[in-house]
């Protein structure tokens, strides 16, 4: 190609040169991209699995995430906005973002059910919203009562390091543990309060100082995302309440000698 | 998704290309010695960004992103040409700059004589490619939103360069420590302006 | 064309100079004002800054090498586009490799990897050096300029992470016990984390460099 006689300004030369270059470069890139694709995909999946496992307090490396995920998170299905369960769908491969772009009655929302080593059941749902600079998302693990938060993780696209980006810090996420998202039958979600939440408030945590907009984003994201599941959550909670009530009535009938159930007991079952 | 007005405002003031992402700094520092040239380059940037961002949006939506080729035939639904984005975006920018140059030269010679020298500079202005990449990342739903983003970012850049040029003109009369003159003080000033622009953060229309 | 340089031994004085100058008195960032664009947004933490520095060095060196090899064949009219396409291809490779092998960092760098394409250092060195010099000299020049750029990035990131988060490379340097929250007196400087602070740091570096080397001062 060290051509001394070729006219480097000729149309034909320019055209052939451009074509050869484009074809070469495109082939090279296609090879590179397809070769690395499985690994990239694996990275993305491993990260999501690690995050889901994190919500139930299990820390794994990217390599072990797959096995651990299969072990703990056995049931994965989708629910609709009205609470109907679709067992056919694998929640892990549902893309929440593209589901949310669909119309409300077509949305399939992912639900993960994890079984803890001690046999307890946790429900894990993904949440998604907007922070200051870009998207934020995360996973919320709920206890069997579908109200108490067992664990939570957040991640973000491009929040300010040291400020909004602190939503991923364990110190921030830890606050959510033990908070409840239902008050009676009413969904309250969890508020993120600037200037500090009252420590006894079961529905509020402290915001990040200097990260007000990201904190508000988290609050919004939880409120909206959990609301989408509220029909499903409520239906299970009602079933549980009925079962509990039935058990209570049975127990009451069984032990005729015992005094009547005190009035508060029923709502404590929630 | 935010309204078009909000996106426009956001991209112009809050997510300002210069003050929060430091994009297009090379030409920003090199061409900001006088307000006149700064205005020229600024207008050229608004122009080119306003065109390239929507064009790249369409390309991204119908060619590059995963499953984007489904409109051609269902067989292509699984194709992901995302790895070609960088090349396509930069090629589009380079050719549009060339095209704009030719069109302006032919139909508006007066504009060309004032803008002409800046246009070739623009192909390698990071702010232009940056706008396309941020647009791709932000995943706008409509062409209108993408256009608003492109124009807003361009105007934001325009505001930034005119601001700094005005300050630098005044700086000639100030007693700046010798080693800090020129480049050094320009950096510090940009930093301070950046802090000022942070006041817009979180502003909702 | 200074082809004579190419006839020297591979690590001759001329080549060593090519490597050393950009790190000092011909620093691309603080002296030649190139490549600030994609640089500063990644300097809030040390790790992404180092990865960015390595990526830019690799792309500058390889693109200089490739274009120096091709320099006699490129049609004049499409010169800039050919340069851009080759650089864009290399950057795509870097980006795909990062996504596969350094996923965490690639997320932090996000669009700034793509912006390496328009990093003026790369185009600047291709135009100013690679098109007129032999492949090996161009390669060395690319490495030198990449390192000179990386050095500024790392210095800025070092101070921003240390002062802003009290950590380095993600590891805690300032003991927890010193923090006001734990009964100490120390607070992280939140201001340092803010994007504009990167500019102020670079301004300060320029100040110090020009104070020590009067030749670089501007009128």
């Amino acid at each position: 190609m060290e051509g001394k006689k070729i006219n480097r300004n000729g149309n034909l030369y320019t055209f052939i040169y451009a074509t050869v270059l484009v074809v070469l470069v495109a082939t090279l890139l296609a090879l590179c991209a397809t070769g690395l694709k499985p690994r990239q995909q694996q990275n993305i999946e491993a990260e999501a699995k690690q995050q889901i496992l994190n919500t139930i307090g299990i820390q794994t490396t990217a390599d072990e995430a797959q096995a651990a995920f299969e072990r703990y998170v056995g049931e994965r299905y989708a629910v609709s906005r009205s609470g109907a369960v679709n067992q056919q769908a694998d929640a892990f491969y549902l893309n929440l973002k593209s589901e949310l772009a669909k119309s409300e009655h077509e949305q399939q929302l992912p639900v993960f059910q994890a079984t803890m080593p001690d046999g307890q059941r946790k429900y894990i749902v993904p949440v998604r919203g907007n922070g200051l600079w870009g998207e934020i998302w995360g996973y919320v693990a709920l206890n069997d009562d579908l109200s108490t938060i067992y664990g939570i993780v957040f991640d973000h696209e491009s929040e300010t390091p040291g400020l909004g980006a602190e939503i991923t810090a364990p110190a921030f996420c830890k606050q959510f543990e033990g908070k409840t998202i239902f008050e009676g039958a009413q969904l309250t979600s969890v508020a993120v309060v600037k200037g500090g939440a009252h420590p006894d408030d079961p529905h509020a945590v402290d915001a990040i100082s200097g990260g007000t907009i990201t904190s508000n984003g988290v609050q919004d994201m939880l409120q909206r995302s959990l609301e989408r599941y509220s029909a499903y959550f409520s239906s299970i909670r009602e079933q549980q309440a009925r079962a509990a009530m039935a058990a209570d009535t049975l127990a009451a009938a069984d032990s005729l000698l015992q005094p009547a159930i005190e009035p508060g007991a029923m709502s404590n079952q929630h | 998704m935010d309204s078009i007005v909000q996106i426009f405002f956001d991209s112009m003031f809050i997510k300002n290309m210069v003050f929060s992402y430091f994009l297009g700094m090379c030409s920003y520092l090199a061409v900001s010695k006088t307000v006149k040239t700064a205005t020229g380059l600024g207008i050229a940037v608004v122009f080119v960004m306003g065109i390239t961002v929507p064009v790249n949006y369409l390309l991204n939506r119908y060619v590059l992103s995963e499953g984007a080729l489904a409109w051609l035939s269902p067989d292509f639904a699984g194709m992901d040409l995302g790895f070609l984005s960088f090349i396509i975006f930069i090629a589009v920018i380079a050719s549009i700059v060339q095209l704009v140059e030719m069109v302006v030269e032919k139909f508006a010679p007066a504009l060309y004589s004032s803008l002409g020298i800046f246009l070739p500079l623009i192909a390698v202005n990071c702010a232009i490619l940056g706008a396309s990449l941020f647009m791709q990342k932000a995943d706008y739903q409509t062409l209108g939103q993408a256009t608003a983003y492109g124009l807003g970012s361009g105007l934001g850049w325009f505001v930034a360069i005119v601001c700094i040029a005005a300050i630098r003109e005044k700086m000639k009369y100030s007693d700046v420590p010798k080693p800090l003159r020129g480049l050094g003080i320009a950096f510090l000033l940009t930093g301070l302006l950046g802090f000022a622009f942070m006041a817009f953060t979180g502003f909702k229309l | 064309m200074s082809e004579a340089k190419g006839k020297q031994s591979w690590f001759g004085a001329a080549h060593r100079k090519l490597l050393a100058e950009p790190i000092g008195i011909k620093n691309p960032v603080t002296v030649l004002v190139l490549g600030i664009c994609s640089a500063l947004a990644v300097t809030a933490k040390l790790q992404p800054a180092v990865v960015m520095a390595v990526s830019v060095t690799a792309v500058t060196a390889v693109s200089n090498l490739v274009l120096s090899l091709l320099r006699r064949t490129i049609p004049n009219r499409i010169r800039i586009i050919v340069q851009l396409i080759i650089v864009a291809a290399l950057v795509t490779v870097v980006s795909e490799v990062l996504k596969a092998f350094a996923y965490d960092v690639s997320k932090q760098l996000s669009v700034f990897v793509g912006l390496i394409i328009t990093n003026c250092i790369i185009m600047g060195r291709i135009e100013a050096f690679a098109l007129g010099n032999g492949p090996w000299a161009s390669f060395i020049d690319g490495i030198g300029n990449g390192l000179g750029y990386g050095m500024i990035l790392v210095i800025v990131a070092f101070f921003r992470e240390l002062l802003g988060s009290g950590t380095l490379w993600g590891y805690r340097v300032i003991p927890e016990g010193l923090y006001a929250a734990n009964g100490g007196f120390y607070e992280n400087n939140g201001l340092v984390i803010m994007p504009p602070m990167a500019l102020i740091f670079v301004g300060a570096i320029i100040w110090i460099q020009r104070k020590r080397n009067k030749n670089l001062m501007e009128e």
Side-chain angles (χ1 to χ4, degrees):
Chain A
M1 289 292 273
E2 289 285 305
K4 283 161 193 120
K5 293 274 154 60
I6 301 173
N7 177 8
R8 272 163 62 188
N9 297 321
N11 280 339
L12 186 67
Y13 181 77
T14 307
F15 186 73
I16 293 176
Y17 194 93
T19 321
V20 170
L21 183 77
V22 165
V23 170
L24 264 181
V25 165
T27 325
L28 197 96
L29 287 187
L31 281 178
C32 168
T34 40
L36 293 172
K37 188 98 195 165
R39 234 198 121 88
Q40 295 172 355
Q41 198 61 35
Q42 206 185 330
N43 283 336
I44 296 169
E45 285 180 11
E47 189 191 31
K49 285 176 180 165
Q50 276 177 303
Q51 287 182 341
I52 294 173
L53 289 169
N54 258 341
T55 60
I56 52 171
I58 295 165
Q59 311 282 346
T60 57
T61 63
D63 295 332
E64 292 161 3
Q66 173 64 28
F69 189 73
E70 290 302 329
R71 180 151 14 107
Y72 293 110
V73 191
E75 278 189 71
R76 308 190 283 265
Y77 50 88
V79 299
S80 70
R81 287 290 278 257
S82 54
V85 178
N86 173 6
Q87 290 286 0
Q88 251 70 52
D90 184 341
F92 189 73
Y93 293 101
L94 278 178
N95 184 340
L96 183 60
K97 197 171 161 185
S98 46
E99 290 300 323
L100 293 182
K102 293 179 187 168
S103 70
E104 245 177 55
H105 59 272
E106 279 177 9
Q107 286 174 8
Q108 294 281 306
L109 307 164
V111 179
F112 303 89
Q113 259 186 42
T115 316
M116 302 295 289
D118 60 6
Q120 278 186 42
R121 191 162 26 161
K122 308 288 176 205
Y123 293 82
I124 305 166
V125 296
V127 292
R128 197 167 194 101
N130 288 308
L132 171 59
W133 298 104
E135 291 194 312
I136 51 177
W137 61 91
Y139 294 93
V140 182
L142 298 168
N143 276 345
D144 211 10
D145 65 355
L146 284 161
S147 172
T148 315
I149 294 177
Y150 181 73
I152 209 162
V153 292
F154 296 115
D155 203 353
H156 64 96
E157 178 91 55
S158 47
E159 297 309 301
T160 326
L163 300 173
E166 291 298 302
I167 56 168
T168 58
F172 180 69
C173 298
K174 270 261 177 314
Q175 297 185 82
F176 286 88
E177 289 171 15
K179 302 286 175 189
T180 52
I181 59 166
F182 275 98
E183 181 70 57
Q186 187 62 38
L187 180 80
T188 54
S189 184
V190 177
V192 183
V193 183
K194 190 181 176 183
H198 192 274
D200 295 336
D201 189 338
H203 311 300
V205 297
D206 299 347
I208 294 163
S209 56
T212 312
I213 297 175
T214 313
S215 301
N216 288 346
V218 168
Q219 173 177 320
D220 254 29
M221 163 172 84
L222 287 175
Q223 174 72 35
R224 283 192 205 170
S225 304
L226 293 173
E227 225 162 60
R228 294 189 198 108
Y229 288 97
S230 65
Y232 173 66
F233 289 167
S234 299
S235 73
I236 299 191
R237 283 163 58 82
E238 271 160 34
Q239 275 174 27
Q240 284 174 350
R242 271 201 296 277
M245 199 148 38
D248 279 345
T249 338
L250 259 178
D254 272 358
S255 50
L256 282 167
L257 288 175
Q258 279 186 2
I261 309 160
E262 64 264 49
M266 208 78 84
S267 55
N268 282 344
Q269 295 295 329
H270 286 299
Chain B
M1 192 39 99
D2 293 330
S3 73
I4 287 179
V5 183
Q6 180 72 41
I7 289 175
F8 182 78
F9 181 83
D10 264 14
S11 55
M12 188 162 160
F13 291 108
I14 304 176
K15 299 176 184 175
N16 188 290
M17 280 289 161
V18 174
F19 297 133
S20 44
Y21 297 119
F22 318 111
L23 295 183
M25 288 292 287
C26 310
S27 24
Y28 171 84
L29 290 170
V31 191
S32 62
K33 283 183 185 124
T34 62
V35 174
K36 196 162 171 266
T37 49
T39 315
L41 184 66
I43 293 174
V45 165
V46 177
F47 214 60
V48 172
M49 251 193 220
I51 302 174
T52 54
V53 171
V55 170
N56 280 337
Y57 171 80
L58 291 176
L59 277 171
N60 184 46
R61 178 131 187 214
Y62 293 108
V63 180
L64 294 172
S65 57
E66 194 171 356
L69 285 172
W71 59 273
L72 264 180
S73 124
D75 299 344
F76 292 146
M79 290 259 272
D80 181 4
L81 293 181
F83 62 90
L84 287 178
S85 339
F86 294 165
I87 289 208
I88 303 256
F89 285 177
I90 197 74
V92 164
I93 290 168
S95 28
I96 285 185
V97 168
Q98 202 110 72
L99 213 68
V100 167
E101 202 179 339
M102 288 193 283
V103 170
V104 172
E105 190 178 9
K106 188 147 176 67
F107 296 106
L111 184 65
Y112 182 75
S113 58
S114 59
L115 275 191
I117 43 163
F118 300 116
L119 283 169
L121 269 181
I122 281 179
V124 285
N125 184 327
C126 351
I128 311 272
L129 180 66
S132 286
L133 292 177
F134 281 118
M135 171 277 298
Q136 185 186 33
K137 194 123 228 180
D139 218 358
Y140 290 117
Q141 301 295 313
T142 65
L143 186 60
Q145 288 176 334
T147 315
Y149 179 76
L151 280 176
S153 301
L155 279 170
W157 202 87
F158 174 82
V159 168
I161 194 169
V162 173
C163 255
I164 194 82
I167 298 177
R168 282 180 86 173
E169 274 191 7
K170 292 278 171 221
M171 268 307 180
K172 283 181 202 147
Y173 309 107
S174 313
D175 187 19
V176 179
K178 266 226 167 94
L180 206 53
R181 275 190 198 162
L183 193 58
I185 195 74
F187 267 100
L188 297 189
L189 285 172
T190 313
L192 292 177
L193 276 174
F195 279 119
F197 267 67
M198 280 179 68
F200 288 111
T201 308
F203 203 89
K204 289 264 177 233
L205 286 182
Chain C
M1 289 197 194
S2 47
E3 288 291 307
K5 277 184 195 162
K7 295 204 176 69
Q8 291 186 351
S9 70
W10 281 37
F11 285 103
H15 288 142
R16 262 181 279 136
K17 199 168 145 217
L18 281 180
L19 199 58
E21 271 190 343
I23 298 175
I25 54 162
K26 279 195 185 163
N27 189 290
V29 179
T30 58
V31 182
L32 306 179
V33 211
L34 292 175
I36 307 140
C37 326
S38 54
L40 298 178
V42 300
T43 52
K45 292 267 157 73
L46 197 54
Q47 194 189 13
V50 169
V51 174
M52 188 73 178
V54 171
S55 309
V56 169
T57 309
V59 174
T60 319
V62 178
S63 64
N64 259 4
L65 177 70
V66 172
L67 280 152
S68 169
L69 287 170
L70 291 177
R71 71 186 187 280
R72 302 224 177 106
T73 69
I74 299 173
N76 282 335
R77 264 188 294 170
I78 56 169
R79 196 185 76 231
I80 299 277
I81 302 228
V82 168
Q83 290 168 7
L84 280 174
I85 285 188
I86 287 174
V87 174
L90 290 171
V91 171
T92 310
V93 171
V94 167
S95 148
E96 298 284 320
V97 167
L98 283 181
K99 271 190 218 156
F101 296 101
Y103 182 62
D104 280 342
V105 187
S106 87
K107 273 198 321 182
Q108 291 177 42
L109 292 178
S110 84
V111 300
F112 292 97
V113 178
L115 288 172
I116 297 177
I117 299 171
T118 44
N119 190 315
C120 332
I121 293 181
I122 297 175
M123 292 301 283
R125 291 324 290 170
I126 291 173
E127 283 277 301
F129 198 90
L131 291 182
N133 286 285
W136 177 246
S138 304
F139 184 74
I140 298 275
D141 180 74
I143 299 235
N145 277 284
L147 290 178
Y149 161 90
M151 187 184 70
I152 301 293
L153 231 63
V154 169
I155 294 176
V156 174
F158 176 87
F159 285 109
R160 283 182 78 192
E161 185 171 352
L162 183 67
L163 299 176
S165 319
T167 58
L168 281 178
W169 200 267
Y171 296 105
R172 183 139 294 285
V173 175
I174 294 167
E176 291 279 1
L178 289 182
Y179 280 90
N182 300 331
F185 58 90
Y186 188 76
E187 277 287 353
N188 281 330
N189 185 347
L191 203 63
V192 176
I193 294 282
M194 304 285 179
M197 209 55 199
L199 292 167
I200 303 214
F201 272 104
V202 176
I205 292 175
I206 293 175
W207 191 353
I208 295 168
Q209 197 186 19
R210 292 189 179 182
K211 184 90 198 163
R212 292 174 47 185
N213 193 338
K214 307 270 186 223
N215 294 336
L216 298 174
M217 278 190 218
E218 288 172 51
E219 273 315 301

